[in-house]
Amino acid sequence: MKLNAQKTIPENIDLPKPRPEKSGAKKAILLASLAVLIVGGAIFWLTRDESTRAQWQGKATDAVDSLVKNTPLADAGNLLSPAPPPPPSFGASSPGSLAGRDVQGTVSAPVDTSRAGGQGIAPVAGAAPGGQPPPETPQITADNAVRPDFVEDLAAYLVANYKPGQRDGALTISVQSVNQRYGVKMPGLMDSPQSGRAGLLRYVFNPSMIQGLYTLYVDRFIEALGRQAAAKPLTPAQTQQLHMAVAGRCVVLAGALEGIAAVSDLKKRLGELQQISQSVVDINSQMMTAVFELDQLREDKAAQSRIDASQTRLNGISGRYRQALENRSAAQRALIAAIRKGGGQSLDEDSLLFLAHWVDRRLRQEPQSIASVQASAGILRDLARRCAQTGTQPQPASAQR
């Protein structure tokens, strides 16, 4: 049986027409029922405890996943799972601390208020509602690792080791004593088993941190030095002498660091010196053993030939020991001369060698530490200038009497 493609619908046949009034009524009833179900379900859901809601939500997710498995709607059940929490936003872990996390903020360009009498200024980008400037980041007042207690302790340590004189006082400290105090006891410094001295040096000994700590604490150090001097007590004239003594010591130490930094083959020279020094130690040990053996032969009243042979052996070892000592002295003199070409003329030889070995240990751990040495010399010279200015300020008339 074939259908006639030309067959048309007679014009006199009435087609069914929609009845708007009944369709609208049905939709209204359907929407009302759906709204009642939604509101009722929401009330019922919100009145359940958290554990019950989580359990039902998990069952609903599993049911949806089982229905749409292997279909394009797979994993649609995830829509029923709660969204993950947003990532945490970190501010400063320790407000006002160089050792804390970075403080994030908006830096706005300065606003020119010279035009139109400062009126009609539009709020800058990042400003708070109402045209208010954005909140400022917290001002750094202390560091977690190098605390303000260090500044106070250093000032007290210098004053305690200062001996006033008739005209000039004496500051009885050395780089060795300072290293002993702040490298072992570490007052006012971070002292934790996890980091210790090595961790502190890695944290502090870089140019930016050296400059940052100095800028943070230099004014407080000058104030603490005066306060500790008054507590000793020192007269105003003696306090001036103290500041001048600290300034002089800073200049000497800065020159030594500059001289050490200028030695291009410092590592090679100190390596050779270390080998010679180790040879001195080894030969000295051999000599002590030979001395003990010779004394033992004499106590045992051994044959003279054995005693003479032992004495000859001891003499040979003693000659090698004297030669090793001379070699070490020559290497030390050559190193000191090389350092003093670039500075450090005023520092004694033992302190200069000690400081050179200290710098060498830093360079072996971080070859770029030479910049830190130069930065240290720079802040020492600036501190010397500040102390000298304080020490040369005119005394009040009442203090001169």
Side-chain angles (χ1 to χ4, degrees):
M1 177 178 179
K2 295 183 180 180
L3 294 176
N4 187 358
Q6 302 296 327
K7 186 176 180 179
T8 60
I9 301 175
E11 295 179 357
N12 56 353
I13 296 179
D14 294 330
L15 294 177
K17 298 180 180 180
R19 301 176 64 181
E21 66 281 1
K22 291 186 177 181
S23 175
K26 291 181 179 180
K27 287 182 180 180
I29 295 173
L30 179 61
L31 292 175
S33 301
L34 182 60
V36 171
L37 290 175
I38 292 175
V39 172
I43 295 174
F44 182 76
W45 173 265
L46 293 175
T47 55
R48 304 300 95 185
D49 58 85
E50 188 66 27
S51 59
T52 303
R53 282 188 288 173
Q55 183 179 2
W56 289 355
Q57 190 175 40
K59 291 181 179 180
T61 301
D62 294 340
V64 172
D65 286 339
S66 62
L67 291 174
V68 299
K69 186 177 181 180
N70 299 325
T71 70
L73 296 177
D75 296 330
N78 292 334
L79 297 175
L80 300 177
S81 301
S89 58
F90 294 107
S93 61
S94 301
S97 171
L98 291 176
R101 295 188 177 93
D102 293 337
V103 180
Q104 299 179 356
T106 302
V107 179
S108 303
V111 180
D112 185 6
T113 60
S114 61
R115 299 180 181 180
Q119 298 179 358
I121 300 175
V124 297
Q132 297 296 325
E136 296 181 357
T137 57
Q139 182 181 3
I140 296 175
T141 60
D143 181 71
N144 284 346
V146 182
R147 300 186 292 269
D149 296 348
F150 167 75
V151 176
E152 293 290 336
D153 185 86
L154 178 59
Y157 174 70
L158 294 176
V159 171
N161 287 275
Y162 174 72
K163 295 182 178 180
Q166 293 295 331
R167 294 184 178 179
D168 297 318
L171 192 58
T172 59
I173 62 170
S174 64
V175 291
Q176 294 92 327
S177 63
V178 173
N179 181 75
Q180 177 69 19
R181 180 174 184 82
Y182 295 102
V184 178
K185 296 180 180 179
M186 302 177 68
L189 301 173
M190 176 181 61
D191 186 11
S192 63
Q194 293 79 11
S195 57
R197 180 184 179 185
L200 179 65
L201 284 172
R202 285 193 300 269
Y203 171 76
V204 171
F205 203 62
N206 63 81
S208 59
M209 184 57 70
I210 290 171
Q211 185 61 50
L213 290 171
Y214 176 74
T215 303
L216 181 64
Y217 288 133
V218 59
D219 291 334
R220 270 185 275 189
F221 171 74
I222 298 293
E223 294 172 0
L225 198 62
R227 187 167 55 253
Q228 292 291 337
K232 189 170 182 175
L234 298 178
T235 66
Q238 291 172 340
T239 301
Q240 286 186 328
Q241 294 173 2
L242 167 67
H243 283 88
M244 295 303 295
V246 173
R249 191 57 61 92
C250 289
V251 170
V252 170
L253 187 56
L257 290 174
E258 290 167 350
I260 293 171
V263 180
S264 58
D265 58 345
L266 178 67
K267 181 178 180 180
K268 178 183 177 182
R269 287 177 179 270
L270 287 174
E272 293 174 350
L273 182 58
Q274 178 64 29
Q275 292 180 357
I276 296 173
S277 299
Q278 185 61 47
S279 177
V280 170
V281 173
D282 295 340
I283 297 174
N284 180 70
S285 178
Q286 297 174 16
M287 187 173 62
M288 297 300 296
T289 301
V291 169
F292 176 79
E293 292 176 353
L294 179 59
D295 291 341
Q296 191 68 38
L297 289 174
R298 288 172 177 170
E299 289 180 6
D300 295 343
K301 298 180 179 181
Q304 189 62 39
S305 59
R306 293 182 61 190
I307 294 176
D308 292 343
S310 180
Q311 182 67 59
T312 301
R313 178 172 176 270
L314 177 59
N315 292 341
I317 295 175
S318 298
R320 290 193 293 116
Y321 182 69
R322 286 191 296 271
Q323 184 61 50
L325 289 175
E326 292 177 3
N327 294 341
R328 185 177 66 179
S329 297
Q332 289 175 346
R333 289 193 300 269
L335 175 59
I336 291 171
I339 293 173
R340 284 181 171 166
K341 286 182 179 179
Q345 289 83 359
S346 302
L347 194 64
D348 63 277
E349 294 185 356
D350 289 340
S351 297
L352 203 57
L353 288 172
F354 177 87
L355 194 59
H357 281 286
W358 188 91
V359 171
D360 179 63
R361 289 194 294 273
R362 306 287 80 75
L363 294 177
R364 291 180 184 275
Q365 296 177 3
E366 177 53 59
Q368 303 302 322
S369 292
I370 197 68
S372 303
V373 177
Q374 295 167 340
S376 300
I379 67 168
L380 284 170
R381 289 198 178 277
D382 186 79
L383 180 59
R385 177 186 60 81
R386 291 171 182 260
C387 288
Q389 288 177 349
T390 305
T392 56
Q393 289 178 355
Q395 303 179 36
S398 58
Q400 295 179 358
R401 297 174 183 174

